[in-house]
């Protein structure tokens, strides 16, 4: 056979013959259609609606109107002020707690670790509710000191937002502190550097990007949060509540869309910067880190411990008082305990709790499967399409829940497309919850996939396993911990989220967080507290099941990775 | 020819990993792909396995062209450097995985797994998980898993590199024994020339994406074709033609015709005889004790030389020595510009 003949038979273009590649293509295609239909398309619609003037033509009229309104500028100014203030306080406190946990020696860290995540387990408006029970007109503290505090407004919202954002700050900063290698500190110690000097020369530069990162994350959380602002903001209007007012109060969807786009701008910019700084931080990841075990320094550890426990006490009291209030007969006058507030008849009673659990299970199960097959597809595909999918998958995190919710109502409440059939269904709420938290879920699973050695896949392939079989028998068990984490993440978020779903609930279909808001609006604060307690109980059970599942997995010898 | 790779080229972007490479493996043969990292040997193995697509050229097995088949349909066995046992399956499940995919009945799988565990001498580990095994045990199981399906070709991708020296030695011997008794055509990638010398029937030495020389271990050691092979296959003294003509013209006897720059003399360190001689042409710069061997570094008219002898000659640093080299012990290699390592 001549060289020319041999070359002519070189195979290349027959990829469509290969069932593996077909499967990989399907794995990409299905989630891609989902992202396009349930994320990209609604976002385009909200953008178009913001440009649709009352006479039905496209133009910048709405923007001109919004930009010339005093209310919008006041809300923008409030949002920015609140965002910056919350960021400063949260990053500062987050750093203290993370540093206390990882670089200081004192007892009771388990308590800090446990309490710090509590705000994530409750609907965001629980912080606000708790603050009202403590510092409101009938609050425990207000009554105890006999001064009537005005908690509604800037200060109340600042505290509520800080408590809500703090866990994220602690986690991000903590993750970078864990990566610091003890050996570099030992080297510095041997070279004669004092602790303060080590902190300045080694710790600070190493966690710089984590601090930056956490600042942007907190900023985004704060300016996009709706629950706290709705409950404790009072007259302190922010962009998120402004959208709500435009849409629900004034039925002015197009103006709501304009404000939504305006809220999107700072969020997208912050998100972009955060992703960039995250990449810089990841570049520093070292393998084989020697864990730092702090020893006790009186002057450092006593004040640090005190600061940490003060913050912990604040979180505990804010959330604890909600639970307490739900059992109190007549707040604040009669502190006898009772179950009567749990007998909720208004706003559909507990129906919304059960439906929320069902929605959350659906979002979690469907979402985990979709993300898993998407990651599978991305593993096989490279090049332009794969990159586009990755970018698209990472985008939902930049969209505030309230904007996504608005986009959904504009898209699905329109009879122009068959998508209208979804409007008012629990399915649509499950869908929005999944796409709202798509990015975090996606990134978690991708982290798991990145640790998956390609040799395993290749060994299975060489032994004769097709990609589908490899995915089920080899890949899925390997990334099982990530899948479990994602499942429960989606479940817990769906249980407590308010901003994305607030527009999608109807008279017949309510979800838990909205019910709490309605009860609170109706002045039934004790029942709102009782309902919050139920939601928190469900989420805590879910968290417990997840921890148990992960523990069982990690105990089984299956997960002691080969090596 | 059993397995044939013809005129294969593979590019990654602008980098040419394999440039028109052709190799072949006979039935039952143990072939080593040897070369420094980045020479394309692993890429070649992955092309043969079907794990990487070919740009041009063919891979065929007994005249049937394989290039179109995905890896799972080729019926090969593969062992990687490490991390390739499925962590969520027991040792027995790992070994039986290929048979299970082929829908073999459970009794047959059980019997085959037991047999293979005997062969790799780890029958007591059947129910353990990979995470509970040492590195050497894991590689034995990986080997058992690869041969469980009676592969048409066994591919080994640096299977010993991640192991420590002692385990490496014993597993090396076992791989050799196993391959000899099962007579599976085997292709092993390695960068360790000692490993290749000890295991291979044929060594294919690669550099910069091309095959530099293929032959028996003896061929490659005693009759390297180029400066690169001479240097890669162990310590060698490489001396330019002009220097030999001036200092030891007798060695030119076997030299092929060609300009001076085309060929250099290659003399293995154990082929040089030393004798203490105050009027000798070389001076001992240093003496190294290597146990059974003694290594002398010399300054000589031929340049820097390395000489190894069994036992000690009682020669010390700074002494003058005379050199004796038989013309048959001097091979001539193509000067490809390779700088001598060390």
């Amino acid at each position: 056979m001549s060289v020319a003949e041999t070359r002519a038979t070189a195979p290349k273009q027959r990829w469509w013959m290969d069932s593996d590649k077909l499967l990989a293509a399907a794995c990409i295609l299905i989630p891609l259609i989902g992202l396009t239909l349930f994320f990209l398309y609604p976002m385009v619609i909200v953008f178009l609606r913001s440009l649709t003037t009352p006479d039905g033509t496209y133009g910048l009229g709405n923007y001109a109107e919004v930009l010339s309104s005093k209310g919008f500028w006041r809300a923008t100014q409030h949002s920015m002020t609140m965002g910056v203030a919350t960021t400063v306080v949260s990053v500062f406190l987050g750093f203290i707690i993370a540093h206390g946990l990882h670089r200081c020696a004192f007892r009771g860290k388990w308590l800090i670790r446990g309490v710090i995540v509590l705000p994530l387990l409750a609907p965001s408006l629980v912080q606000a509710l708790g603050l009202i029970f403590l510092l409101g007109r009938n609050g425990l503290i207000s009554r105890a000191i006999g001064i009537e505090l005005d908690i509604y407004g800037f200060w109340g919202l600042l505290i509520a937002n800080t408590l809500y954002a703090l866990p994220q700050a602690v986690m991000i900063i903590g993750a970078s502190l864990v990566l610091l290698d003890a050996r570099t500190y030992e080297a510095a110690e041997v070279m004669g550097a004092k602790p303060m000097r080590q902190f300045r020369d080694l710790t600070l530069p190493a966690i710089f990007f984590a601090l930056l990162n956490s600042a942007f994350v907190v900023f985004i959380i704060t300016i996009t949060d709706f629950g706290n602002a709705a409950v404790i903001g009072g007259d302190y209007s922010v962009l998120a509540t402004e959208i709500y007012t435009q849409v629900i109060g004034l039925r002015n969807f197009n103006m709501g869309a304009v404000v939504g786009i305006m809220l999107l701008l700072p969020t997208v910019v912050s998100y972009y910067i955060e992703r960039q700084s995250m990449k810089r931080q990841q570049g520093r990841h070292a393998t084989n880190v020697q864990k730092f075990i702090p020893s006790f320094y009186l002057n450092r550890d006593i004040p640090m411990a005190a600061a940490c426990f003060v913050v912990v006490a604040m979180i505990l009291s804010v959330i604890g008082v909600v639970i307490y209030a739900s059992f109190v007969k007549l707040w604040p006058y009669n502190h006898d305990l009772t179950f009567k507030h749990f007998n909720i008849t208004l706003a559909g009673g507990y129906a919304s709790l059960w439906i929320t659990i069902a929605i959350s299970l659906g979002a979690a199960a469907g979402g985990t499967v979709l993300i898993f097959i998407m990651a599978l597809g991305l593993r096989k595909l490279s090049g332009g399409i794969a990159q586009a999918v990755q970018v698209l998958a990472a985008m939902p995190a930049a969209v505030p829940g309230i904007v996504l919710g608005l986009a959904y109502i504009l898209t699905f409440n329109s009879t122009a497309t068959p998508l209208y059939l979804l409007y008012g269904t629990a399915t649509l709420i499950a869908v929005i919850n999944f796409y709202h938290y798509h990015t975090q879920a996606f990134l978690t699973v991708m982290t798991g996939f990145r640790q998956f050695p390609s040799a395993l896949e290749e060994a299975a392939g060489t032994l004769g396993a097709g990609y589908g079989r490899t995915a089920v028998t080899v890949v899925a068990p390997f990334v099982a911990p990530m899948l479990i984490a994602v499942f429960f993440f989606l479940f817990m978020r769906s249980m407590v989220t308010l901003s994305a779903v607030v527009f999608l609930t109807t008279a017949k279909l309510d979800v838990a967080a909205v019910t709490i808001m309605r009860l609170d609006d109706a002045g039934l604060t004790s029942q709102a507290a009782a309902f919050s307690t139920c939601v928190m109980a469900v989420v805590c059970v879910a968290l417990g099941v997840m921890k148990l599942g992960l523990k069982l997995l990690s105990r089984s010898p299956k997960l002691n990775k080969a090596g | 020819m059993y397995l044939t790779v013809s005129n294969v080229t593979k590019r990654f972007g602008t980098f040419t990993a394999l440039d028109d490479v052709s190799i072949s493996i006979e039935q039952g043969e143990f072939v080593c792909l040897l070369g420094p990292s980045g020479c394309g040997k692993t890429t070649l193995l992955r092309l043969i396995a079907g794990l990487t697509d070919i740009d041009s050229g063919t891979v065929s097995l007994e005249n049937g062209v394989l290039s179109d088949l995905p890896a799972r349909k080729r019926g090969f066995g593969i062992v990687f450097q490490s991390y390739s046992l499925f962590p969520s399956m027991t040792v027995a499940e790992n070994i039986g995985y290929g048979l299970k995919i082929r829908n073999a009945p459970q009794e047959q799988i059980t019997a085959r797994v037991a047999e293979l565990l005997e062969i790799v001498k780890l029958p007591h580990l059947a129910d353990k998980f990979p995470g509970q095994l040492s590195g050497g045990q894991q590689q034995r199981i990986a080997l058992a898993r690869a041969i469980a399906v009676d592969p048409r070709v066994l591919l080994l991708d640096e299977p010993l590199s991640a192991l420590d020296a002692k385990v490496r030695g014993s597993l090396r011997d076992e791989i050799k024994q196993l391959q000899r008794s099962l007579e599976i055509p085997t292709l092993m990638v390695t960068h360790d020339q000692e490993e290749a010398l000890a295991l291979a029937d044929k060594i294919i030495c690669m550099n910069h994406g091309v095959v530099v020389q293929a032959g028996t271990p003896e061929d490659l050691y005693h009759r390297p074709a180029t400066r690169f092979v001479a240097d890669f296959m162990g310590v060698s003294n490489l001396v330019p033609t002009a220097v030999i003509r001036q200092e030891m013209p007798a060695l030119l006897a076997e030299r092929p015709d060609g300009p001076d720059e085309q060929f250099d003399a290659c003399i293995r360190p154990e082929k040089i005889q030393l004798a203490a001689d105050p009027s000798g042409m070389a001076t001992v710069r240093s003496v190294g004790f290597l146990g059974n061997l003694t290594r002398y570094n010399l300054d000589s008219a031929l340049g820097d030389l390395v000489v190894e002898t069994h036992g000690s000659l009682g020669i010390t640093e700074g002494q003058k020595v005379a050199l004796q080299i038989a013309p048959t012990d001097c091979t001539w290699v193509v000067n490809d510009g390779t700088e001598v390592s060390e």
Side-chain angles (χ1 to χ4, degrees):
Chain A
M1 207 189 277
S2 78
V3 172
E5 274 170 332
T6 323
R7 292 240 162 103
T9 61
K12 259 201 293 199
Q13 291 84 2
R14 294 200 214 163
W15 62 270
W16 45 267
M17 300 272 293
D18 188 341
S19 58
D20 276 2
K21 294 207 169 141
L22 273 181
L23 185 65
C27 283
I28 282 287
L29 212 57
I30 296 166
L32 193 59
I33 292 173
L35 271 172
T36 312
L37 220 50
F38 296 107
F39 173 67
L40 215 49
Y41 177 58
M43 290 313 292
V44 170
I45 293 286
V46 81
F47 182 66
L48 290 179
R49 285 296 287 267
S50 76
L51 293 170
T52 310
T53 47
D55 54 21
T57 55
Y58 288 116
L60 291 171
N62 296 334
Y63 284 87
E65 193 177 322
V66 165
L67 290 177
S68 65
S69 93
K70 270 195 192 139
F72 169 75
W73 286 111
R74 201 181 56 221
T76 306
Q77 197 207 336
H78 286 171
S79 272
M80 295 302 133
T81 313
M82 182 51 63
V84 171
T86 309
T87 302
V88 171
V89 179
S90 299
V91 172
F92 178 70
L93 291 180
F95 169 74
I96 298 233
I97 293 175
H99 201 266
L101 281 177
H102 295 289
R103 314 283 307 176
C104 298
F106 54 81
R107 282 162 184 274
K109 286 184 182 176
W110 61 269
L111 183 69
I112 299 175
R113 280 182 223 277
V115 169
I116 200 72
V117 297
L118 284 181
L120 289 181
L121 306 183
S124 71
L125 39 71
V126 164
Q127 282 76 239
L129 217 50
L131 282 175
I132 293 168
F133 281 121
L134 285 177
L135 299 167
R137 197 179 317 136
N138 286 325
L140 284 182
I141 295 176
S142 322
R143 287 174 67 87
I145 57 176
I147 302 171
E148 193 165 307
L149 299 160
D150 187 15
I151 194 64
Y152 293 92
F154 178 82
W155 292 104
L157 192 50
L158 176 64
I159 301 173
N161 280 335
T162 301
L163 294 183
Y164 186 53
L166 197 55
Q168 311 268 1
V170 172
M171 280 192 262
I172 295 170
I173 300 168
S176 77
L177 284 171
V178 169
L179 285 178
L180 301 182
D181 196 314
R183 282 167 296 201
T184 56
Y185 287 86
E186 287 164 2
E189 187 79 38
V190 171
M191 291 160 85
K194 294 205 175 92
M196 206 48 211
R197 170 116 217 160
Q198 293 177 18
F199 175 75
R200 211 176 63 212
D201 294 346
L202 298 175
T203 312
L204 268 190
I207 66 167
F208 173 76
F209 283 107
L211 290 175
L212 197 66
N213 210 0
S214 64
F216 282 104
V217 169
V218 169
F219 184 75
I220 296 173
I221 292 175
T222 308
I223 64 169
T224 61
D225 176 70
F226 172 71
N228 282 328
V231 174
I232 208 171
D235 292 335
Y236 198 82
S237 66
V238 292
L239 284 172
T241 48
E242 185 70 13
I243 297 174
Y244 187 74
T245 312
Q246 288 288 348
V247 172
I248 299 295
L250 308 171
R251 306 304 291 176
N252 197 341
F253 289 95
N254 293 358
M255 296 308 251
V258 173
V259 183
I261 297 290
M262 301 308 269
L263 176 57
L264 198 55
L265 289 177
T267 325
V268 168
V269 171
S270 308
Y271 179 63
Y272 178 77
I273 300 176
E274 184 231 318
R275 289 298 300 261
Q276 293 308 313
S277 85
M278 180 119 102
K279 276 182 197 154
R280 298 283 292 272
Q281 194 197 342
Q282 278 168 350
R284 290 163 176 252
H285 276 201
T287 49
N288 236 332
V289 172
Q290 189 92 42
K291 198 172 179 282
F292 179 85
I293 295 165
S295 43
F296 183 75
Y297 285 104
L298 185 81
N299 290 342
R300 178 194 68 191
D301 292 346
I302 295 296
M304 284 297 278
C308 288
F309 284 111
V310 166
V311 176
V312 161
M314 282 172 66
I315 298 174
L316 259 186
S317 55
V318 167
I319 294 193
V321 79
V322 174
I323 298 171
Y324 175 65
S326 70
F327 290 105
V328 163
K329 205 167 239 168
L330 185 59
W331 186 274
Y333 309 105
N334 183 345
H335 282 253
D336 292 342
L337 297 183
T338 172
F339 281 110
K340 73 168 186 178
H341 303 304
F342 286 85
N343 182 17
I344 295 166
T345 48
L346 201 94
Y350 283 109
S352 74
L353 183 63
W354 308 129
I355 193 76
T356 307
I357 293 176
I359 287 170
S360 304
L361 284 174
T368 307
V369 170
L370 275 177
I371 297 265
F372 176 67
I373 66 171
M374 185 170 187
L376 276 178
L378 281 176
R379 214 177 155 76
K380 280 277 163 179
L381 247 66
S382 52
I385 300 176
Q387 261 176 359
V389 171
Q390 292 209 327
V391 171
L392 193 57
M395 267 168 36
V399 176
I402 193 122
V403 176
L404 191 63
L406 177 61
Y408 265 53
I409 194 169
L410 294 176
T411 307
F412 296 98
N413 195 16
S414 143
T415 46
T417 64
L419 292 173
Y420 177 70
L421 291 174
L422 283 171
Y423 182 71
T425 65
T427 312
L428 190 63
I429 295 184
V431 168
I432 197 175
N433 283 338
F434 168 53
Y435 285 102
H436 185 191
Y437 294 105
H438 188 275
T439 305
Q440 292 91 326
F442 174 72
L443 294 178
T444 307
V445 170
M446 287 308 275
T447 311
F449 267 73
R450 231 168 276 133
Q451 293 161 358
F452 179 75
S454 53
L456 286 184
E457 197 179 321
E458 290 170 351
T462 312
L463 286 169
Y467 198 46
R469 186 165 195 144
T470 309
V472 174
T473 56
V474 179
V475 182
F478 192 94
V479 297
M482 300 329 174
L483 296 180
I484 290 179
V486 163
F487 178 90
F488 283 97
F489 165 77
L490 287 172
F491 177 81
M492 292 190 283
R493 290 280 89 194
S494 301
M495 280 304 297
V496 301
T497 186
L498 173 66
S499 58
V501 297
V502 71
F503 291 136
L504 293 179
T505 56
T506 62
K508 286 185 210 142
L509 178 70
D510 230 342
V511 296
V514 178
T515 305
I516 297 172
M517 191 176 75
R518 298 247 160 88
L519 290 169
D520 179 62
D521 275 351
L524 301 168
T525 13
S526 292
Q527 293 200 5
F531 208 96
S532 304
T533 305
C534 294
V535 172
M536 286 191 277
V538 171
V539 175
C540 282
V541 169
L543 186 70
V545 172
M546 175 179 98
K547 295 250 160 172
L548 190 70
L550 288 178
K551 197 167 190 172
L552 287 177
L553 256 188
S554 70
R555 277 219 188 135
S556 102
K558 295 184 182 195
L559 268 191
N560 297 324
K561 300 267 180 327
Chain B
M1 294 298 156
Y2 184 68
L3 179 83
T4 319
V5 173
S6 319
N7 310 99
V8 161
T9 298
K10 177 70 189 175
R11 289 186 191 83
F12 295 107
T14 55
F15 173 73
T16 306
L18 292 173
D19 189 3
D20 201 24
V21 169
S22 300
I23 68 165
S24 65
I25 302 175
E26 305 285 347
Q27 186 64 261
E29 196 176 30
F30 197 124
V31 177
C32 274
L33 281 175
L34 177 70
S37 58
C39 74
K41 56 191 193 300
T42 296
T43 305
L44 183 54
L45 178 114
R46 293 173 60 84
L47 288 177
I48 294 171
L51 296 170
T52 305
D53 291 334
I54 300 183
D55 288 346
S56 69
T58 53
V59 177
S60 46
L61 191 69
E62 294 180 303
N63 291 331
V65 175
L66 283 182
S67 323
D68 274 344
L69 282 182
R72 67 176 187 282
K73 293 185 180 159
R74 296 195 180 193
F76 290 180
I78 195 164
V79 177
F80 294 95
Q81 188 171 340
S82 58
Y83 298 115
S84 77
L85 291 183
F86 308 130
S88 56
M89 300 181 198
T90 63
V91 163
E93 284 166 343
N94 261 287
I95 298 176
Y97 189 72
L99 290 169
K100 201 170 148 199
I101 286 165
R102 285 160 180 71
N103 293 319
Q106 190 55 48
E107 317 84 75
Q108 191 192 330
I109 298 179
T110 315
R112 182 74 175 137
V113 168
E115 180 190 357
L116 282 161
L117 281 170
E118 285 296 334
I119 290 177
V120 296
K121 303 192 186 79
L122 296 171
H124 55 291
L125 295 182
D127 297 322
K128 292 269 197 264
F129 284 93
Q132 299 166 299
L133 270 52
S134 72
Q137 289 170 333
Q138 286 189 36
Q139 286 305 71
R140 281 196 171 85
I141 300 302
L143 190 63
R145 185 178 68 180
I147 57 181
V149 293
D150 292 319
R152 299 200 280 178
V153 177
L154 181 61
L155 303 170
L156 307 171
D157 185 7
E158 308 236 10
L160 305 173
S161 302
L163 306 175
D164 51 44
K166 217 166 178 182
V167 182
R168 198 184 308 167
S170 68
L171 191 53
R172 187 167 81 185
D173 297 341
E174 265 176 64
I175 289 179
K176 180 157 188 169
Q177 255 178 31
L178 201 63
Q179 196 272 341
R180 290 283 182 277
S181 64
L182 299 174
E183 294 189 326
I184 308 172
T186 300
L187 184 67
M188 176 164 113
V189 161
T190 180
H191 62 263
D192 180 342
Q193 109 275 3
E194 261 183 60
E195 213 167 275
L197 289 173
L199 285 170
D201 299 314
K202 181 164 85 188
I203 295 177
I204 295 171
C205 187
M206 295 182 64
N207 196 23
H208 299 312
V210 296
V211 172
V212 185
Q213 190 178 3
T216 62
E218 292 77 16
D219 272 343
L220 266 78
Y221 186 78
H222 292 300
R223 286 172 292 283
T226 67
R227 276 179 72 98
F228 170 76
V229 178
D231 184 50
F232 201 78
M233 296 304 298
V235 181
S236 58
N237 298 294
L238 295 166
V239 188
T241 301
V243 177
I244 295 286
R245 179 174 293 120
Q246 200 177 337
E247 302 295 336
M248 282 191 173
L251 297 184
L252 291 171
E254 310 254 324
R255 187 183 185 279
D257 293 334
D260 276 11
E261 308 78 49
Q262 197 181 342
F263 296 103
D264 289 338
C266 163
I267 308 146
R268 294 291 179 195
E270 67 275 15
K271 300 293 188 188
I272 301 178
Q273 317 287 327
L274 290 187
D277 181 350
S279 62
M281 70 189 293
T283 313
V284 177
R285 193 171 65 236
S286 64
V287 183
F289 175 66
L290 305 177
N292 57 339
L293 293 180
T294 308
R295 177 176 291 181
Y296 301 91
N297 287 81
L298 310 179
D299 289 323
S300 79
L302 298 178
D304 294 346
L305 292 180
V306 181
V307 178
E308 282 171 5
T309 61
H310 279 280
S312 170
L313 298 179
I315 298 172
T316 54
E317 277 176 29
Q319 254 185 295
K320 288 270 185 192
V321 287
L323 307 179
Q324 203 186 346
I325 304 165
T328 48
D329 285 337
C330 169
T331 357
W332 291 87
V333 297
V334 172
N335 178 11
D336 56 6
T338 304
E339 293 292 325
V340 175
S341 48
E342 267 181 315

